[in-house]
């Protein structure tokens, strides 16, 4: 097995990729092990993952872009949950997020987090006088990750765990 240590062309930081068997030639790049990738697993829909991955790459170097992309990722969550844009209101994320809360997809605290992200994203995109700083990206990232955890990751983990319990009970017999 081999490991690959590279230097990122964007930020000059070291990047370590997990080893691969030199005899395997399938065209896939090995897994990144350092720094630990910030993305999500397959339980999160691909459009949300792609937007978040792009946002993560510019979090420390372009906080304005990060906040705008995270707002866009909220739109992708609404799309995934079947919450369409209101007719006559191009991209009205406020009403879409209200519907997300009303549908039970997110509880009140997470709804407040989505509103903070939406408001900050709007300011980043439209208000030239509002500066978005790197420290502002930290809670935005935490809030967004909490939303994704609640909407996608926790339900997937719960389903997986329940299925493993069902298999165990089926194997051991339902002892009651």
């Amino acid at each position: 097995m081999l490991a690959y240590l590279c230097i990122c062309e964007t930020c000059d930081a070291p990047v370590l990729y997990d080893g691969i068997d030199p005899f395997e030639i399938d065209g896939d790049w090995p897994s990144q092990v350092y720094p630990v990738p910030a993305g999500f697993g397959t339980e999160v829909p691909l459009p949300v993952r792609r937007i978040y991955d792009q946002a993560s790459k510019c979090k420390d170097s372009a906080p304005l872009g990060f906040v705008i992309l995270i707002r866009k990722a909220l739109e992708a969550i609404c799309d995934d949950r079947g919450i369409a844009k209101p007719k006559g209101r191009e991209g009205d994320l406020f009403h879409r997020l209200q519907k997300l809360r009303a549908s039970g997809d997110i509880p009140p605290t997470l709804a407040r987090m989505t509103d903070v992200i939406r408001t900050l994203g709007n300011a980043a995109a439209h208000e030239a006088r509002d500066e978005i700083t790197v420290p502002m990206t930290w809670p935005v990232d935490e809030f967004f990750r909490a939303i994704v955890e609640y909407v996608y990751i926790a339900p997937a983990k719960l389903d997986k765990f329940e299925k493993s319990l069902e298999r165990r009970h089926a194997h051991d017999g339902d002892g009651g």
Side-chain angles (χ1 to χ4, degrees), residues 98-129:
Q98 283 185 329
K99 288 182 180 181
L100 192 66
R101 178 181 177 182
S103 69
D105 281 322
I106 57 172
T109 300
L110 293 183
R112 287 177 50 208
M113 289 177 181
T114 64
D115 199 49
V116 167
I117 293 169
R118 178 192 61 79
T119 303
L120 194 57
N122 287 348
H126 303 295
E127 302 294 329
R129 59 179 160 63

Side-chain angles (χ1 to χ4, degrees), residues 150-164:
Y150 185 87
V151 173
Y152 299 110
I153 298 170
K157 286 180 182 179
L158 180 58
D159 287 345
K160 184 178 178 181
F161 184 66
E162 287 176 335
K163 287 177 183 172
S164 71

Side-chain angles (χ1 to χ4, degrees), residues 48-112:
V48 176
R49 287 193 329 248
R50 283 184 175 160
I51 295 167
Y52 183 77
D53 288 346
Q54 288 180 31
S56 294
K57 290 176 184 174
C58 68
K59 181 178 170 186
D60 294 328
S61 60
L64 183 79
F66 174 80
V67 171
I68 292 169
L69 284 168
I70 293 298
R71 184 193 180 284
K72 183 174 180 63
L74 286 179
E75 292 175 344
I77 291 173
C78 289
D79 291 343
D80 175 68
R81 303 313 269 194
I83 300 172
K85 294 178 183 174
K87 292 184 181 180
R89 292 182 169 142
E90 185 60 33
D92 188 350
L93 185 56
F94 174 77
H95 289 96
R96 295 178 80 193
L97 293 171
Q98 283 185 329
K99 288 182 180 181
L100 192 66
R101 178 181 177 182
S103 69
D105 281 322
I106 57 172
T109 300
L110 293 183
R112 287 177 50 208

Side-chain angles (χ1 to χ4, degrees), residues 1 4 14 17 23-24 26 47 65 77 82 89-90 101 104 114 123 130 133 139-140 144 170-171 173-174:
M1 298 293 244
Y4 295 95
Y17 292 93
F23 299 106
E24 291 181 15
D26 59 5
I77 291 173
R89 292 182 169 142
E90 185 60 33
R101 178 181 177 182
T114 64
D130 289 341
T133 63
V140 169
F144 184 75
H171 180 264
D174 191 25

